[in-house]
């Protein structure tokens, strides 16, 4: 009966097993190898295992394969690219935070989130700063952390975002060049909207004044476009009726020192011959077109440099 049943000896926790070899053991090792000798032997065997290939009965999951980990040696260029990418993204992250802070400060100081103003927040110039600052901060922060931590997921996200940004800029340039008439119409609508809210929004007022002063223009198409403003309309009851802002004046400074804020009063009542000595007759849309034509080379150079920096950043990230 004993040969039909196999017995298994169960060792209790308090029992000891003698695993040391002695002279009565059936197998006596010829030599007790040290750990250093085992490592050297493994190093000698590993090249032979790689030369033998996977078809010679060797298992890739064996200790000879799993214990040897590949090691990549970083060169000076690798370290340079890594920290260069980190520093560049760190600088633009700080810049994005500054832009985001300025945008939020502008919205809060103007009380743009108030119930009576929340409807016009979509046309607030500060919203552009907030959006630009948030996107720039998140994008550069992912590249900054991904570079210093060598996180593949963040670097892939950063690379994909930069690639989408490059594609969007190229596509926008192509669309703007092919649809110049429609773009001009959008600019005219935006300029008129800024003129309508000239007295109510300090940011739009500042932008409009800067455009009219630097381009020496008045209105969108001509100086009579200021009729769209309720304060400069000829039917308005105030002193600004039938007038234009002082930034439309040819010489808004009296004696070259004092700013005359009333130099444009009643300018819309004058004919063009009489008005040309007081205010600028041409609109700002024409001034923008002339400025772009005069600086085509500079604009193209800046666009190519910006695009080249983004492509270089993408290359460094993939490296």
């Amino acid at each position: 009966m004993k040969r039909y049943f196999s017995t298994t000896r169960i060792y209790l926790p308090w029992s000891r097993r003698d695993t040391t070899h002695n002279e009565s053991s059936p197998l006596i090792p010829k030599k007790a190898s040290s750990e250093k000798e085992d490592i050297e032997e493994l190093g000698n065997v590993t090249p032979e295992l790689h030369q033998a290939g996977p078809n010679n009965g060797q298992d890739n999951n064996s200790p000879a394969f799993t214990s040897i980990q590949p090691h990549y040696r970083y060169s000076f260029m690798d370290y340079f690219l890594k920290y260069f990418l980190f520093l560049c993204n760190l600088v633009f992250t700080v810049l994005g935070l500054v832009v985001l802070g300025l945008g939020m400060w502008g919205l809060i100081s103007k009380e743009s989130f108030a119930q009576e103003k929340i409807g016009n927040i979509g046309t607030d110039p500060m919203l552009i700063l907030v959006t630009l600052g948030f996107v720039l901060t998140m994008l550069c922060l992912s590249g900054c952390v991904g570079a210093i931590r060598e996180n593949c997921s963040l670097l892939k996200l950063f690379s994909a975002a930069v690639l989408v940004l490059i594609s969007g800029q190229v596509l926008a340039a192509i669309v703007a060049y092919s649809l110049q008439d429609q773009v001009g119409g959008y600019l005219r609508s935006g300029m008129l909207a800024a003129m309508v809210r000239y007295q109510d929004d300090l940011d739009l007022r500042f932008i409009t004044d800067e455009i009219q002063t630097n381009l020496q223009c008045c209105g969108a198409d001509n100086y009579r476009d200021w009729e769209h403003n309720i304060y400069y309309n000829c039917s308005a009851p105030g002193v600004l009726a039938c007038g234009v802002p002082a930034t439309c004046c040819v010489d808004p400074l009296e004696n070259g020192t004092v700013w005359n804020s009333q130099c444009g009063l009643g300018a819309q009542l004058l004919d063009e011959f009489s008005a040309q000595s007081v205010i600028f007759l041409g609109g700002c849309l024409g001034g923008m077109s002339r400025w772009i034509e005069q600086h085509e080379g500079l604009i193209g150079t800046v666009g190519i440099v910006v695009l080249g920096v983004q492509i270089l950043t993408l290359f460094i990230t993939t490296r």
Side-chain angles (χ1 to χ4, degrees):
M1 294 293 292
K2 291 183 178 181
R3 65 179 182 177
Y4 293 102
F5 296 95
S6 61
T7 59
T8 303
R9 186 176 181 181
I10 302 175
Y11 292 95
L12 299 177
W14 54 81
S15 62
R16 293 182 59 187
R17 295 182 59 187
D18 189 8
T19 57
T20 59
H21 293 281
N22 50 34
E23 295 181 355
S24 62
S25 301
L27 295 177
I28 301 177
K30 297 180 180 180
K31 183 181 180 181
S33 300
S34 63
E35 182 179 359
K36 182 177 180 181
E37 294 173 346
D38 292 339
I39 295 175
E40 293 177 355
E41 182 180 357
L42 180 59
N44 296 330
V45 173
T46 302
E48 298 177 0
L49 295 176
H50 283 289
Q51 293 176 1
N55 298 326
N56 290 341
Q58 299 293 338
D59 186 9
N60 290 335
N61 296 323
S62 63
F65 286 92
T66 57
S67 62
I68 304 299
Q69 299 294 334
H71 179 70
Y72 177 77
R73 295 184 179 274
Y74 288 94
S75 63
F76 174 77
M77 183 58 65
D78 293 329
Y79 282 111
F80 173 76
L81 294 178
K82 172 183 176 180
Y83 290 103
F84 177 77
L85 181 63
F86 166 73
L87 292 176
C88 288
N89 282 282
L90 181 62
V91 171
F92 282 101
T93 300
V94 175
L95 180 62
L97 290 174
V98 172
V99 174
L100 179 61
L102 289 176
M104 292 301 299
W105 173 79
L107 291 177
I108 295 173
S109 62
K110 295 190 305 179
E111 299 180 356
S112 299
F113 297 104
Q115 185 176 1
E116 61 274 8
K117 297 182 179 180
I118 194 68
N120 297 324
I121 195 173
T123 59
D124 198 318
M126 289 297 159
L127 190 63
I128 300 177
L129 294 181
V130 172
T131 304
L132 180 62
F134 178 77
V135 173
L136 185 62
T137 300
M138 297 305 297
L139 176 62
C140 296
L141 185 62
S142 63
C144 182
V145 177
I148 196 64
R149 299 292 300 174
E150 299 182 9
N151 190 304
C152 293
S153 300
L154 288 177
L155 289 178
K156 289 180 180 179
L157 177 63
F158 178 74
S159 302
V162 173
L163 184 60
V164 171
L165 185 62
I166 294 174
S167 303
Q169 291 174 349
V170 174
L171 183 61
I174 295 174
V175 171
Y177 182 78
S178 59
L179 302 176
Q180 297 182 12
D181 296 335
Q182 288 82 346
V183 173
Y186 292 141
L187 288 177
R188 185 177 184 277
S189 300
M191 186 72 183
L192 291 176
M195 293 168 61
V196 169
R197 299 179 55 193
Y198 179 79
Q199 300 290 346
D200 302 327
D201 195 312
L202 296 178
D203 295 323
L204 292 178
R205 181 175 182 175
F206 173 78
I207 295 173
T208 304
D209 287 341
E210 288 295 316
I211 292 175
Q212 292 187 149
T213 301
N214 294 324
L215 297 180
Q216 296 183 352
C217 57
C218 186
D221 297 319
N222 52 61
Y223 67 101
R224 296 191 183 278
D225 289 335
W226 281 102
E227 293 181 356
H228 295 85
N229 187 281
I230 59 175
Y231 298 98
Y232 292 107
N233 190 281
C234 291
S235 60
V239 295
L240 298 178
C242 284
V244 294
T247 52
C248 288
C249 296
V250 175
D251 186 15
L253 298 178
E254 292 183 355
N255 300 325
T257 57
V258 181
W259 178 267
N260 183 11
S261 60
Q262 299 180 351
C263 61
L265 296 182
Q268 296 185 42
L269 298 176
L270 303 176
D271 54 27
E272 293 185 359
F273 181 79
S274 302
Q276 65 181 355
S277 61
V278 179
I279 61 174
F280 299 110
L281 302 181
C284 294
L285 294 180
M288 291 180 184
S289 300
R290 290 190 298 270
W291 186 87
I292 292 175
E293 292 176 357
Q294 294 174 359
H295 299 83
E296 285 182 352
L298 179 62
I299 296 174
T301 302
V302 172
I304 293 175
V305 170
V306 172
L307 189 62
V309 171
Q310 294 174 354
I311 294 176
L312 179 61
T313 303
L314 183 63
F315 171 75
I316 294 176
T317 306
T318 56
R319 173 69 183 268

